[in-house]
Amino acid sequence: MSLSAKMITTCLAAVLIVILAFATLTRKDVLCVAVQWQDKQKPAAVQTQKHDEKTAVQRQERDEKPTAVQPQERDKKEKDEKPTAVQSQEKDEKTVAKQSGCLFPLVVHIGPHKTGTTTFQTFLIKNAEWLWKEYGISVAANEGVKAAAYIPSTIRQQHGLQHNPKFADPKKMQELFQTIGTMPANSPVILSSEEFSTLGTAEWNDFKSQIAIQKRCVSIVVVHRRGLNLRASIWNEVNKNSISPDSFLISLLRRNGGEEEFQLKVLDTVRSIADSVEGVSYEYLREANYSIASFTVCNATLRLEGSKWELCKTSVELRMPGIQNPSAPPAAFDVVRLAYGLYTRQKAANYPRCRKKFAVRAYKNSAVLRVAEQMPTLCGSLNEAFSHVDELWYNRTGALKPEGREDPLCFVDEGSLKLEHWALLSTLLPPGCQIM
C-alpha cells in the first residue's frame, strides 16, 4: 500500500471513530432529556393527586374539628339569637371594662340649669350615707347642696372667664379634690353641679388633670330639655322675683335664641373630653315617671337592669325630696306685670294717697296665682320652631325621646281684659293705690 493510500485510510478511520462517538454521545443526551421530561411530567401528575388528597384530608379534618370555623359561625348565630337587651348589656359591660378604671368612675352630673338640678343635689346630700351603705356610692361635696360649684367656678376664675364669685375659692376647690382622692378607690363617686356645663375644653382638661392623679375616669351625665321649655323655664327663673317682669315674647326676642344651641355646645364639649357620656331627656324622664336621681344612680353609675334596676329605682324615688325650686305658671308673670303697670298709673294720678312701694312678685305668691286663675288666657306652643335642634341632640346621644307633646304655655289675653279683670289686678296693689 502506498503512503497516500495509507494516509487516506487512517483519516477515514479517525472520521468514523468521531462519528460513532458523536452518535453515542447524542443518543445519551437525547435519552437524558427524554427521561428528564418524563420525570418532570410524572411528578406534576403525582403532585396534583397528592394536592387533591391533601385537600380532601384538610376538608375532612376541618369538618370534624369544632375549633376551626364553627365557633365563629356559632358565635355569629348566638349573637343573632340573643335578645337586644342582653347584647346591649354585654356592650355596656365591655365598654366599661375597656376604660381603665371606669368600673369605679367619677360620675359628674352637669345639669345644665333648669333640668331639676337642685332637687337632685338635695337628694344626694340627704342620702349620702344611704347611698354608701346600700350601693357603695360615695357622694362628693356633700357638705352643701351647691358645694360642688366651687370646682367649676374656681376653674373659670383661673382661666379669666366670667364666674360666680360666691363659689370661686382655690382653697375650697383643692379641699374638694383632696376629699375625692380619699374616697374608696373601689367605689364610684358622684359629683353634681350645673356650673360644670359652663366649662370649655381647656377648663375641662384642667379638671381632668386633677382627677387623673387619682386614676379615676370621668363619666358625664347631661340632661336635655326641649328648647321652648328651657326658654320658658329660664325666663321664669330670671323674672320670678321681679316686680316688673318681661313678657315671654319680649324675652324671646331679646335673647334671640341660644339655649338650644347651648345644649348642643355643652354636649359636643363633654363628648370630646369625657371617658363616657350619658345623655337623657328631661321630658322623657317625666313621661316615664322617674327622676334624674334614679337615672344617675341606677343607670349611669350602677348600670343595673331588670329586677335590680326596678328595686334601685323604687328605693331612690321613695327618698326624693319635693320640688326645690317650683315654677309659677306664665300667666302669673303677666298678672304681676299688668298689676305693676296699673300701679304706676295710679301713682301718677293719685300720688298723695298712693305712696307705698309695689312689692308683688310671682314666685310662691298665692294671691297672684288666685288672680291668674281668673284671667282670660291664650294657650299655644312653639315647640316646632325648636324641634330641629332638639333632634340633633337626641341623635348625637342616642337618648330616648319623649313621645308626647309638651303642655301648651298659657298667657293672659290682654285684649280680652274687662273692668272686672282690672279690679282683680287692683287687689294686688298696696292700700291707697287700688281702684275704688
Side-chain angles (χ1 to χ4, degrees):
M1 182 180 292
S2 64
L3 180 60
S4 298
K6 186 176 181 179
M7 291 180 62
I8 291 172
T9 302
T10 303
C11 290
L12 289 174
V15 169
L16 181 62
I17 292 171
V18 170
I19 291 172
L20 290 175
F22 177 79
T24 302
L25 178 62
T26 302
R27 183 175 178 272
K28 182 178 179 181
D29 290 344
V30 171
L31 288 174
C32 288
V33 170
V35 170
Q36 288 176 359
W37 179 84
Q38 184 179 5
D39 290 343
K40 183 177 180 181
Q41 294 301 314
K42 184 177 180 180
V46 174
Q47 187 178 16
T48 302
Q49 181 180 0
K50 288 182 178 181
H51 174 73
D52 292 341
E53 291 174 355
K54 183 178 180 182
T55 303
V57 171
Q58 289 177 342
R59 185 180 299 112
Q60 182 179 4
E61 291 176 349
R62 181 188 64 195
D63 293 339
E64 292 175 353
K65 289 182 180 180
T67 57
V69 177
Q70 290 179 358
Q72 182 179 359
E73 296 175 350
R74 184 175 66 248
D75 291 345
K76 182 178 184 301
K77 183 178 180 182
E78 289 177 354
K79 181 180 179 181
D80 294 339
E81 293 176 350
K82 283 182 180 178
T84 303
V86 175
Q87 292 180 15
S88 176
Q89 180 181 2
E90 290 181 350
K91 181 180 179 182
D92 289 343
E93 290 174 354
K94 290 176 181 178
T95 300
V96 173
K98 184 174 67 174
Q99 298 163 352
S100 176
C102 270
L103 289 175
F104 309 107
L106 174 64
V107 179
V108 186
H109 164 251
I110 67 172
H113 290 275
K114 310 310 298 177
T115 57
T117 54
T118 302
T119 302
F120 174 49
Q121 290 153 4
T122 302
F123 162 81
L124 290 176
I125 300 305
K126 290 185 176 180
N127 295 279
E129 184 176 353
W130 174 78
L131 286 169
W132 170 248
K133 289 182 178 179
E134 189 70 19
Y135 297 112
I137 295 174
S138 300
V139 177
N142 59 14
E143 64 274 13
V145 172
K146 299 295 181 180
Y150 281 107
I151 293 177
S153 290
T154 305
I155 291 176
R156 284 183 63 84
Q157 180 191 50
Q158 293 174 343
H159 280 256
L161 303 174
Q162 185 178 357
H163 58 277
N164 187 340
K166 181 180 178 181
F167 295 105
D169 187 333
K171 182 179 179 181
K172 286 278 189 180
M173 181 180 72
Q174 288 304 318
E175 288 175 355
L176 282 173
F177 280 129
Q178 291 170 5
T179 299
I180 295 171
T182 61
M183 290 178 171
N186 62 345
S187 101
V189 177
I190 295 179
L191 182 67
S192 173
S193 174
E194 55 270 49
E195 295 298 326
F196 278 109
S197 65
T198 66
L199 299 187
T201 303
E203 297 84 73
W204 271 114
N205 284 331
D206 279 1
F207 172 80
K208 284 195 69 178
S209 67
Q210 293 286 340
I211 301 304
I213 298 172
Q214 303 165 13
K215 297 183 179 179
R216 286 190 183 272
C217 65
V218 176
S219 178
I220 303 293
V221 175
V222 58
V223 186
H224 176 269
R225 193 166 183 177
R226 281 172 172 162
L228 179 65
N229 299 336
L230 184 59
R231 292 269 196 110
S233 186
I234 292 175
W235 167 73
N236 192 303
E237 181 70 23
V238 170
N239 291 278
K240 68 181 183 180
N241 288 312
S242 173
I243 60 173
S244 180
D246 286 334
S247 73
F248 183 61
L249 179 58
I250 295 298
S251 176
L252 285 178
L253 294 175
R254 282 182 177 172
R255 295 186 69 85
N256 193 29
E259 283 78 14
E260 56 277 9
E261 288 83 1
F262 171 74
Q263 292 187 95
L264 281 176
K265 181 180 178 181
V266 170
L267 176 63
D268 290 341
T269 299
V270 297
R271 286 175 69 191
S272 69
I273 60 93
D275 296 288
S276 66
V277 177
E278 301 286 347
V280 67
S281 161
Y282 176 86
E283 286 81 14
Y284 173 81
L285 290 179
R286 291 182 62 187
E287 285 183 0
N289 197 30
Y290 68 103
S291 65
I292 185 60
S294 57
F295 176 83
T296 303
V297 172
C298 307
N299 293 49
T301 303
L302 299 175
R303 300 181 180 272
L304 300 177
E305 292 189 350
S307 59
K308 291 182 179 180
W309 177 85
E310 289 284 354
L311 180 60
C312 177
K313 172 187 175 293
T314 302
S315 300
V316 170
E317 297 300 334
L318 287 174
R319 289 168 172 79
M320 283 298 294
I323 297 175
Q324 301 299 298
N325 194 12
S327 298
F333 293 88
D334 291 337
V335 163
V336 173
R337 178 172 51 81
L338 292 169
Y340 181 75
L342 181 60
Y343 165 78
T344 57
R345 291 193 294 271
Q346 286 292 93
K347 185 175 181 179
N350 193 14
Y351 177 75
R353 295 181 57 197
C354 184
R355 290 188 174 185
K356 291 187 177 181
K357 292 182 179 180
F358 183 85
V360 176
R361 293 167 176 80
Y363 185 60
K364 293 184 178 180
N365 193 318
S366 58
V368 170
L369 293 178
R370 283 195 300 269
V371 172
E373 290 170 356
Q374 301 178 66
M375 294 288 113
T377 57
L378 283 173
C379 301
S381 175
L382 297 174
N383 271 325
E384 295 303 321
F386 305 93
S387 60
H388 67 289
V389 183
D390 294 337
E391 286 296 320
L392 286 175
W393 195 96
Y394 298 140
N395 292 338
R396 292 179 190 180
T397 59
L400 295 173
K401 304 176 186 178
E403 295 181 358
R405 298 176 62 88
E406 192 69 8
D407 294 335
L409 299 174
C410 295
F411 303 92
V412 172
D413 182 6
E414 298 181 33
S416 298
L417 293 179
K418 298 180 180 179
L419 184 58
E420 59 265 29
H421 299 127
W422 288 108
L424 281 171
L425 291 168
S426 175
T427 61
L428 299 174
L429 275 55
C433 301
Q434 299 173 356
I435 298 175
M436 302 300 295

